[in-house]
Amino acid sequence: MVPKSPVHNHTPGKLPLRERALRKAFLQRIHDIPGGEKLHRCIQCGTCSGSCPVSWAMDLMPRELIAHFRAGDIESILHSRTIWLCASCYACTERCPQGIRVTDIIYSLKRLAIDSNITLEHDGAHKLPQIFVDIINKYGRNHELGLMMRYYLRTNPLQLLRMASLGLAMMKRRRITFAPPRVEKALKDIRTIIAHAERLEVPKEIFSPEYRPDTVGYRAIDKVSSRSSKSPSTTE
Amino acid sequence: MTYAYYPGCSLESSSRMYDSSLREVFRCLDLELVELEDWNCCGATAYFSVKETVSLAVSARNLALAERAELDIVAPCSSCFTILLKTHHMLEGNTELSDKINEALGAVNLSYKGNVRVRHPLEVLVNDVGLEKIRDAVKVPLDGFAIAPYYGCQIARGESSFDDSEDPVFMDRLFSTLGARLVYFPHKVRCCGGMLMYTWEDIAVRLVADLMRCAQENGAHLILTTCPMCHANLDLHLEHVRKVYPEAKPTSTYFFTQLLGLALGIPAEKLGFDLNYIPIDQRLKDLIQRTTEVTHA
């Protein structure tokens, strides 16, 4: 179930502070995707939901993500299983008649959820990518065994037992490497790049102190599409 | 022809037969692969879900290395291929972002100007080598083999434009050239669930079951794939799949380069056919036997 959003308790046209902060952060992330502003073209046809191989397991259909954004209710989206269920197969993006980059938008929503500490209550799916990042930052390459071990230890240690026989079979075939990967000379370079890029990362939260009605729906996106404006979220 | 080779993390361990068979096939067809020195993870779908700029910078380092070598980059893993291509296009379409990434790369005296072509080995084989030349190189035709060509969700979608996104045909064309029979397989580009197999197993298992059912009911002897993730999901989880699809037969899934290598007369032990979890079936054993006879004759 999608938790009831704070938006529902507010005067139409006025957004709670938290929602406005999330909205600004979201629009900034969309701004980075080439063609991201096409989001405003959505005609709510549902081709994305119909093409998605896992929409049957979602609490919000892909189409509804955009509907909720327009309704000024990003927080519900960030609480949904939907964004973490997306396996990034690009079927929705490929088929969208309006050229909306749905998969990339869902990626931005995942990042926004992590940055604003909104995580799933009963599932650990959001932890996997973060463990992956830790491994890459440490070794420069993925370590499959390490990723699985850490993920199951943090979410469902019993699963390790269930996987034991499979693990043994993989070991026999030398399809599991015990030692973490070694990037010979360049590990220092990779870490330097990561450290530098870290500083240039999209800011985590953009907070504005005063309370005023924020734009909801199509108009919010129109501001982003004019690339000239420095801050995509200034209210007129 | 020479290419920069980007194996990717999976090809170092769980999919090492993809790596060895690809190298063998390329050598056999006189294509040179120069492995990028000290390549790093492309970031995959996971890094991109956590940090945008950092994941693009990490991925762009590989492109920068290939650019310095003035070579096209060959990425066999679907995820690596998609992410490298995506990085290339995102930097091309957004100068602000490109400046940021180059600033980060500049810290180690690298830069990416956008001159690298990201290629998938399937496309290299069909476009650069050509089906004619491959047909001439065939030692053991795959007569009578019924194949379900499974492209996986990523290589024909996103920024990739070499094949049709709804009904890709490159693998079909390649293997009909080798004499195989391609079965009706409408799930060609349907998602295997990817990492959902670890995060939401009960959901991913249904996707895999659909794929297996589709291949099995259309009479495929085996499934061919281009992606380490698809291979793992189809090969390793048969017991779980049987919970939702009890009739699932053990249909083997191989990398397309493994079967191609066999047709080209490369000895089976170099192609890693014994590394699958699902045991090798009799028909394939016979084919391997024929290859051994041909190569030793």
Side-chain angles (χ1 to χ4, degrees), chain B residues 6-241:
Chain B
Y6 180 80
C9 307
S10 298
L11 274 74
E12 284 197 313
S13 55
S14 64
S15 303
R16 63 187 178 88
M17 57 283 209
Y18 195 8
D19 179 66
S20 58
S21 59
L22 180 76
R23 286 176 195 265
E24 289 294 334
V25 164
F26 268 54
R27 190 175 306 136
C28 178
L29 295 167
D30 299 321
L31 302 168
E32 199 191 340
L33 289 176
V34 184
E35 184 170 336
L36 277 185
E37 198 193 354
D38 281 342
W39 52 269
N40 57 267
C41 167
C42 68
T45 51
Y47 214 123
F48 205 65
S49 311
V50 182
K51 284 186 173 146
E52 184 191 53
T53 313
V54 187
S55 89
L56 288 172
V58 164
S59 165
R61 177 176 173 267
N62 300 307
L63 295 173
L65 293 178
E67 190 174 63
R68 200 168 58 184
E70 295 181 3
L71 293 171
D72 290 357
I73 191 167
V74 169
C77 164
S78 294
S79 187
C80 302
F81 173 74
T82 308
I83 292 289
L84 291 174
L85 202 56
K86 186 194 195 83
T87 307
H88 173 85
H89 280 269
M90 279 190 80
L91 299 189
E92 202 175 42
N94 184 343
T95 40
E96 223 175 286
L97 199 58
S98 165
D99 290 347
K100 277 205 272 184
I101 302 303
N102 273 308
E103 195 184 322
L105 292 176
V108 293
N109 293 322
L110 281 173
S111 70
Y112 183 58
K113 294 179 199 70
N115 299 325
V116 172
R117 286 206 297 164
V118 182
R119 316 273 309 265
H120 193 273
L122 180 61
E123 181 255 331
V124 169
L125 290 170
V126 174
N127 284 342
D128 290 11
V129 182
L131 295 176
E132 273 271 295
K133 197 180 158 198
I134 294 177
R135 186 184 295 126
D136 294 343
V138 171
K139 298 256 167 52
V140 188
L142 302 175
D143 296 334
F145 247 82
I147 290 169
Y150 180 45
Y151 293 77
C153 58
Q154 295 195 326
I155 65 163
R157 289 184 183 151
E159 312 297 344
S160 167
S161 55
F162 72 84
D163 209 338
D164 188 88
S165 64
E166 296 289 344
D167 184 17
V169 292
F170 272 49
M171 212 177 344
D172 300 50
R173 285 169 63 201
L174 178 60
F175 282 89
S176 47
T177 303
L178 306 177
R181 183 166 63 84
L182 279 303
V183 305
Y184 172 70
F185 191 59
H187 280 7
K188 269 180 178 180
V189 289
R190 198 166 166 88
C191 174
C192 71
M195 294 305 273
L196 291 181
M197 192 54 92
Y198 305 98
T199 53
W200 271 298
E201 191 188 284
D202 46 340
I203 295 171
V205 153
R206 284 182 184 276
L207 301 183
V208 175
D210 280 350
L211 290 169
M212 283 197 173
R213 191 198 308 265
C214 183
Q216 198 172 303
E217 287 176 359
N218 289 304
H221 298 148
L222 50 84
I223 302 170
L224 285 189
T225 180
T226 59
C227 172
M229 201 72 232
C230 301
H231 182 271
N233 282 353
L234 283 163
D235 182 41
L236 300 176
H237 302 281
L238 186 66
E239 279 111 71
H240 301 159
V241 168

Side-chain angles (χ1 to χ4, degrees), chain A residues 203-216:
Chain A
K204 275 205 170 178
E205 211 160 359
I206 311 103
F207 216 80
S208 95
E210 340 139 49
Y211 189 85
R212 50 188 173 176
D214 207 353
T215 321
V216 174

Side-chain angles (χ1 to χ4, degrees), chain A residues 75-159:
Chain A
E75 195 158 346
S76 296
I77 303 178
L78 301 183
H79 280 290
S80 71
R81 286 175 16 134
T82 297
I83 53 175
W84 298 106
L85 265 171
C86 171
S88 183
C89 81
Y90 296 90
C92 48
T93 306
E94 201 56 56
R95 292 184 185 165
C96 176
Q98 297 293 83
I100 298 168
R101 309 184 62 97
V102 188
T103 314
D104 288 334
I105 290 168
I106 295 179
Y107 271 125
S108 336
L109 289 164
K110 287 178 185 172
R111 292 195 288 267
L112 185 57
I114 290 180
D115 287 350
S116 22
N117 290 319
I118 298 178
T119 48
L120 294 165
E121 265 173 64
H122 306 292
D123 298 288
H126 59 277
K127 291 183 188 150
L128 188 70
Q130 296 176 76
I131 298 171
F132 186 88
V133 166
D134 292 344
I135 292 181
I136 304 308
N137 290 354
K138 193 165 174 197
Y139 303 119
R141 289 181 193 172
N142 184 21
H143 181 220
E144 287 169 337
L145 181 65
L147 179 67
M148 291 297 104
M149 297 285 277
R150 283 195 220 180
Y151 176 69
Y152 287 137
L153 283 175
R154 271 195 224 173
T155 55
N156 182 9
L158 278 179
Q159 187 73 358

